Amino acid sequence: MDNVSYDSVKKDPIPTIAWKKDKIVEWLTSKGCNVNTSLVKYLLLEKVQEIRHHYDKYIIDEEALKSNKTVLRLPPYHCELNAIEMAWSVVKNHVKNNNTPFKINDVRQLLIDGIRNVTPDMWANFVNHTIKEEDKLCTVDSNTDELLDQQDTYHVMQITGDTSSDYSD
């Protein structure tokens, strides 16, 4: 799943600096925390940080767990790792190329037709392409790790106080 906001709705929103102090106190209290209401907002948010890992959950993840499933989130800005994006592109292009009357019922039918245009063979190609892209990224990641492992752990720069512009050393 990609990281669009409507796929990432929190089960229980976690207070942020944008929240009003009384709402932060209310949230902490609802979680069983004894809260000194005279604390400044910053200190209340520190208390939130201490317990947030217990409550920082997405609705979709909790629903998936009920069926013993796990949601795999794609990294941001990597639509090439999501086969549905390629299928959606076919659908959108069909609508764009055929939408002449610009009426909602016509667009609805164009969407349906566009979805039908995505054949099982096309879908298989999209999935295969996605797998190849993932393999490329894994190779880059592995190569990067290997290069970094070959580098010296520490780099030492000796500062001599010499301010000459001769960089031949």
Side-chain angles (χ1 to χ4, degrees), residues 61-153:
D61 292 334
E62 296 301 301
E63 289 301 313
L65 282 174
K66 290 177 185 176
S67 301
N68 202 28
K69 305 288 185 227
T70 302
V71 174
L72 174 64
R73 285 190 166 68
L74 298 173
Y77 312 112
H78 284 284
C79 58
E80 73 275 12
L81 298 176
N82 193 348
I84 197 72
E85 292 294 341
M86 289 176 268
W88 185 232
S89 178
V90 169
V91 174
K92 290 189 298 185
N93 280 328
H94 177 76
V95 172
K96 180 181 84 174
N97 294 333
N98 296 288
N99 187 15
T100 51
F102 300 102
K103 294 183 179 161
I104 192 67
N105 287 336
D106 294 326
V107 172
R108 185 176 291 119
Q109 187 58 49
L110 287 170
L111 279 169
I112 292 167
D113 295 342
I115 291 167
R116 288 185 180 133
N117 285 344
V118 179
T119 66
D121 285 342
M122 288 173 77
W123 180 251
N125 288 332
F126 296 156
V127 171
N128 287 334
H129 176 77
T130 300
I131 291 168
K132 287 177 186 172
E133 291 298 313
E134 183 178 336
D135 289 344
K136 281 187 210 173
L137 288 172
C138 287
T139 300
V140 167
D141 187 57
S142 177
N143 290 343
T144 302
D145 286 345
E146 191 176 306
L147 282 171
L148 290 174
D149 287 345
Q150 292 173 4
Q151 300 295 317
D152 293 333
T153 306

Side-chain angles (χ1 to χ4, degrees), residues 7-25:
D7 287 339
S8 300
V9 177
K10 297 283 188 172
K11 183 175 180 183
D12 186 10
I14 307 294
T16 66
I17 192 71
W19 284 36
K20 293 188 176 184
K21 180 180 174 179
D22 62 328
K23 292 294 181 189
I24 297 170
V25 168

